[in-house]
Amino acid sequence: MSIEQNATLLEAAHLTKEFRTAHGVVHAVSDVSLTIQRGETLALVGESGCGKSTLGRLLLRLIEPTSGTVVMDGTEVTALKREELRKFRRKMQLIFQDPYSSIDPRMTIRKIIAEPLKAFSVPKKEQEAIILDLVEKTGIRPEYLERYPHQFSGGQRQRVGIARALALNPELVVCDEPVSALDVSIQAQTLNLLHDLQQKMGLTYLFISHDLAVVNYISDRVCVMFLGKICELGPKEQIYFHPRHPYTKFLLSATPEPDPRKRKEDQDLLMGDLPSPVNPPSGCRFRTQCPYARELCAAEEPGLREVDGRQCACHFPLV
Ligand code: SF4
């Protein structure tokens, strides 16, 4: 983390996103408030469909919230007009899981990295210097700049995706499952690269992942989501070694563990099927699966509150 790690870079308040579908209203993100500190890596974890990618896109305003606000660097992102937002976007970028999806396969690597620079009218001479600096920082050989994405491996393509995301020298980078499509050995290289770049460029990351082993490697704080809500948010060590929310405990039980019997016991605790985001349970959204649920859990929604050095949304936190 950078020395400025305690300054808040981004603050989201009561963010909500609902999608209307043929089956009803999907409550993708419900009343989420969080801050991201300058220079830190905040990991957003949860199972598929918990709303973590939607939340990442809401923070960048790549999708419009149903309600709630996002303030970054003193600017209310959610209030910006179209052109103001376009200009502000250079401060916040997204790295995708599959860089191929965000890259035009007919463009050379040089053009792909230069595209955002062109969009912001960076003079041609400066563009060249920035591109050479980025390829050096991301470990792309300069002679590869005239090649095409299909000539690259998955790991190399992700390096191109990272170089492109950093071209405008952003402050906040949302990394959405950036290594989950890569082989394990390439995952480690890419995570090391992201870490080095954070140190060199003073970047702040929101790191979205379903993989707690990856998150453990790269994060400073961890935010656990279940069905559009935050369950637990705090320093990585607290979340990993002393989870207080039953869902966090379950999620950790699904990661590789030296004593598989122990993890299996925790997995077996889970009851019922995953509830639907179209019709979430009353009270605590985890209650239909939670082995510790009591009457109060159905009657009253647990708010996030300070528990033992982290925030936890549970009426009966684990001890
Ligand atoms: Fe389980 Fe109740 Fe806590 Fe929800 S509030 S996680 S149902 S104990």
Side-chain angles (χ1 to χ4, degrees), residues 245-246 284 286-287 290 292-294 297 302 313-316:
H245 195 287
C284 174
F286 186 52
R287 74 173 167 82
C290 180
Y292 310 103
R294 299 185 221 168
C297 306
C314 176
H315 290 305
F316 309 102

Side-chain angles (χ1 to χ4, degrees), residues 19 23 41 93 108-109 120 125 166 204 226 242 281 284 316:
F19 296 103
H23 306 290
T41 298
Q93 295 290 319
T108 61
I109 302 305
F120 277 84
K125 222 170 157 190
L166 301 185
T204 302
F226 178 80
H242 308 287
C284 174
F316 309 102

